[in-house]
Amino acid sequence: MSEIADKPQIATKPLKDLPDLQTLVALCKRRGFVFPSSEIYGGLNSCWDYGPLGIEVKKALKEAWWKAMVYDREDIEGIDAAILMHPRVWKASGHIDSFNDPLVDCKQCKARFRADHLGPVAKIEKETGNIPTIEEMTELLKGMNCPNCGSKGTLTEPRLFNMMFKSHMSAIEDEANLVYFRPETAQGIFVNFINVQQTCRRKLPFGIAQIGKSFRNEITPGNFIFRTREFEQMEMQFFIKPSENDTFFEEWKSSRMAWHESIGLRKEKLRWHQHGESELAHYCAKAFDVQYQFPFGWKELEGIHDRTDFDLKNHQEFSGKNLHYVDEEKNKFIPHVIETAVGCDRSILTVLADAYRFNDERVVMQLHPKMAPYKAAVFPLMKKPELLEPAQNLYQDLRKKFRTDFDVAGSIGKRYRRQEEIGTPYCITLDYESLEDKAVTIRHRDTMKQDRVAVNKVMDYVESGLENWE
Ligand code: ATP
């Protein structure tokens, strides 16, 4: 065994879960996962930038989703549609008329609330599974004190607020050239249904997948990257015959839950929530959410929706274009759709929150290696040329295959702590003995187990460890 500073040891002290969201926000900023947007100007409410480590998690997550949807299956095509779409799209989709949240203001302290999140309304929703109507909300909120400043009788009656961001498509700002920033990526898929079906000569059932930005002028954004006004979605619309909704709904439910587990999320932190009658969105016949147990409670991570033929039927009506499908028996119909819709940013939050472990000695991000920004880190024991050179050679070799970090600063113990905090699965130390035995010490992040491995076997050792990760 080598003589490196941190002697082999077993992880005896139990590790605990993420205590609160602020702890994660602080780590994300300190280590370069996520920064507040425009921070030198004081930040912009609920806008966040991904740093050098965060972008790696984001890319890994999108890749894992794309692989599961497009590459591993033979029945799904990918697209990348424009964010700005013809304004009639949003009339047809129902967003202009129905994409509203109930807004309540405090006249005293100017705080703003979503009426359906306020105590008496939320209570009814929890008990019945239904969101009360705007009239019922008005009744329920009568006489309620402001949850922010405590003032009596200062809350306005709830009013509906459309959440789409608007802009104008030319220098002249008038109604005629109004455009909307898409509030969901799904519509880019629906308007391309015929294009994809025909160019790829697809037969039902088949799906179209897309990853892209969406924008919602949320009344109460917050909880870090859980709810923001600009965010990325990973959505897939699966086009089916009208009688097949229940079968495919169940298939997609189990396939999506399995995916969340495949990126490392703990089973016990995931559950299903079925939408009650009035909780259902205007386009939906049935909806189940995958919920995750965040530090701030069980919340939606992904939605599986039976959108029926709502979208294609409306686009056919509003565009005047034929969006029918003709099957082998020459039956002509508008396909139905099962949708899976997950937020990329919300998924990143889930991955980071789920991985966070700590005790009084260390913080370990127990990320699935697929999600880890670095797969390995190489340390020369000391900053001496005779160690630096072979360590650099090993590092240069490894980084051709997977993202590897190189660190010479501080004690070995400190370097381990730094890598644990960002979730690097393997740390590789080259010491004086390495010059004799041509071997290095590989330390496992989660167990702190150490193995002595021949330098020319390190690549295989790490690769097979990453591939066979439990
Ligand atoms: P919520 O009830 O949380 O507002 P939703 O039911 O409106 O979400 P969908 O329209 O079904 O959400 O969108 C699909 C997914 O997109 C959500 O499950 C979530 O992961 C993500 N998402 C939606 N709105 C936001 C947002 N403002 N910020 C980040 N992610 C979001």
Side-chain angles (χ1 to χ4, degrees):
M1 187 51 72
S2 77
E3 292 185 24
I4 60 171
D6 207 35
K7 282 267 188 285
Q9 49 184 312
I10 306 300
T12 45
K13 279 201 175 176
L15 292 164
K16 292 180 268 185
D17 266 14
L18 179 65
D20 56 62
L21 197 60
Q22 284 327 304
T23 305
L24 183 64
V25 176
L27 177 119
C28 283
K29 183 170 170 212
R30 184 158 40 84
R31 299 310 312 273
F33 283 97
V34 183
F35 305 121
S37 159
S38 340
E39 195 184 4
I40 59 169
Y41 288 94
L44 181 64
N45 186 17
S46 95
C47 293
W48 302 91
D49 297 343
Y50 290 92
L53 298 191
I55 181 63
E56 294 301 326
V57 180
K58 193 177 209 189
K59 279 181 60 170
L61 198 85
K62 289 192 206 172
E63 262 167 39
W65 187 87
W66 197 260
K67 182 172 180 301
M69 285 294 179
V70 183
Y71 298 156
D72 289 353
R73 301 180 61 107
E74 293 173 43
D75 54 1
I76 297 186
E77 304 283 354
I79 63 160
D80 182 26
I83 288 171
L84 302 178
M85 303 181 71
H86 195 289
R88 295 268 292 165
V89 166
W90 306 112
K91 192 73 192 156
S93 70
H95 282 82
I96 289 177
D97 298 321
S98 310
F99 197 55
N100 303 312
D101 265 350
L103 174 72
V104 168
D105 285 310
C106 173
K107 287 181 265 185
Q108 181 65 31
C109 70
K110 309 287 177 227
R112 195 152 254 205
F113 309 96
R114 252 175 79 171
D116 53 326
H117 287 175
L118 290 176
V121 182
K123 185 161 171 268
I124 296 284
E125 187 189 333
K126 204 165 175 208
E127 283 167 7
T128 64
N130 290 329
I131 300 174
T133 63
I134 200 93
E135 293 75 24
E136 288 164 342
M137 286 187 200
T138 309
E139 275 310 304
L140 284 163
L141 296 177
K142 259 188 192 147
M144 186 184 169
N145 295 352
C146 170
N148 188 45
C149 68
S151 305
K152 268 196 166 72
T154 54
L155 293 182
T156 60
E157 286 192 355
R159 63 182 191 283
L160 291 175
F161 166 80
N162 192 288
M163 290 197 289
M164 281 196 291
F165 277 97
K166 301 180 189 71
S167 189
H168 293 88
M169 197 87 169
S170 80
I172 305 149
E173 296 193 5
D174 66 19
E175 280 293 309
N177 51 39
L178 197 60
V179 285
Y180 299 92
F181 286 29
R182 69 179 175 202
E184 61 176 29
T185 55
Q187 298 305 323
I189 293 180
F190 294 125
V191 299
N192 277 299
F193 166 70
I194 291 290
N195 283 340
V196 175
Q197 192 258 322
Q198 291 182 350
T199 53
C200 300
R201 292 175 290 116
R202 281 289 182 180
K203 293 203 163 37
L204 295 188
F206 77 95
I208 305 178
Q210 175 170 221
I211 300 177
K213 290 259 179 173
S214 292
F215 300 81
R216 296 182 189 179
N217 206 350
E218 300 275 1
I219 296 168
T220 49
N223 283 330
F224 194 27
I225 50 174
F226 177 82
R227 188 182 301 285
T228 51
R229 295 191 171 110
E230 171 184 347
F231 56 99
E232 237 169 316
Q233 289 187 305
M234 307 191 288
E235 296 198 297
M236 191 282 309
Q237 315 293 325
F238 204 69
F239 298 92
I240 56 173
K241 293 182 180 170
S243 56
E244 299 172 334
N245 302 44
D246 289 345
T247 314
F248 283 111
F249 197 92
E250 287 311 310
E251 269 190 28
W252 279 109
K253 261 182 75 190
S254 46
S255 144
R256 293 305 301 149
M257 190 57 105
W259 183 81
H260 290 290
E261 288 168 19
S262 79
I263 58 167
L265 301 184
R266 286 167 291 176
K267 253 193 173 86
E268 65 273 20
K269 296 268 179 183
L270 293 162
R271 72 175 188 196
W272 287 109
H273 163 75
Q274 180 171 15
H275 283 217
E277 249 329 89
S278 62
E279 203 184 342
L280 284 172
H282 61 272
Y283 51 77
C284 235
K286 182 157 82 173
F288 275 72
D289 293 341
V290 178
Q291 289 188 336
Y292 180 80
Q293 192 177 23
F294 290 96
F296 43 90
W298 286 96
K299 297 274 185 241
E300 171 177 346
L301 166 61
E302 167 153 20
I304 318 291
H305 308 131
D306 178 353
R307 295 185 76 128
T308 67
D309 58 357
F310 177 89
D311 302 272
L312 288 184
K313 201 171 70 196
N314 282 351
H315 284 307
Q316 172 164 288
E317 186 186 327
F318 279 75
S319 69
K321 293 284 172 338
N322 184 358
L323 301 182
H324 278 112
Y325 175 86
V326 184
D327 71 10
E328 313 79 62
E329 281 89 46
K330 303 279 173 272
N331 296 317
K332 201 172 143 204
F333 58 88
I334 292 190
H336 281 227
V337 169
I338 304 299
E339 166 182 77
T340 71
V342 60
C344 179
D345 313 80
R346 203 173 278 188
S347 198
I348 294 170
L349 176 61
T350 316
V351 164
L352 296 178
D354 200 70
Y356 192 101
R357 301 285 197 297
F358 77 106
N359 61 25
D360 53 11
E361 284 172 357
R362 53 191 213 134
V363 170
V364 193
M365 283 295 239
Q366 295 195 335
L367 293 167
H368 190 287
K370 268 191 231 171
M371 298 295 131
Y374 291 107
K375 314 302 173 194
V378 176
F379 310 151
L381 179 64
M382 288 199 273
K383 212 174 178 175
K384 295 278 165 52
E386 62 272 27
L387 295 181
L388 273 173
E389 199 196 318
Q392 261 289 332
N393 291 343
L394 177 60
Y395 162 67
Q396 293 300 344
D397 266 1
L398 295 180
R399 64 188 285 266
K400 284 183 202 132
K401 273 285 177 73
F402 38 76
R403 250 179 98 75
T404 308
D405 200 5
F406 187 80
D407 192 0
V408 288
S411 70
I412 287 289
K414 269 208 184 112
R415 286 183 251 171
Y416 284 155
R417 298 290 101 86
R418 281 205 282 269
Q419 295 298 330
E420 286 171 343
E421 230 186 20
I422 60 172
T424 309
Y426 297 107
C427 288
I428 304 159
T429 305
L430 191 137
D431 55 21
Y432 278 103
E433 222 178 295
S434 307
L435 304 177
E436 307 293 321
D437 68 357
K438 303 279 176 278
V440 290
T441 300
I442 301 188
R443 179 182 185 269
H444 294 233
R445 177 193 70 196
D446 298 345
T447 58
M448 303 203 277
K449 184 173 102 93
Q450 301 193 358
D451 278 338
R452 195 76 182 164
V453 178
V455 173
N456 61 4
K457 293 275 185 302
V458 170
M459 177 82 85
D460 289 350
Y461 182 101
V462 175
E463 272 193 319
S464 108
L466 295 173
E467 260 169 45
N468 305 308
W469 194 267
E470 285 295 316

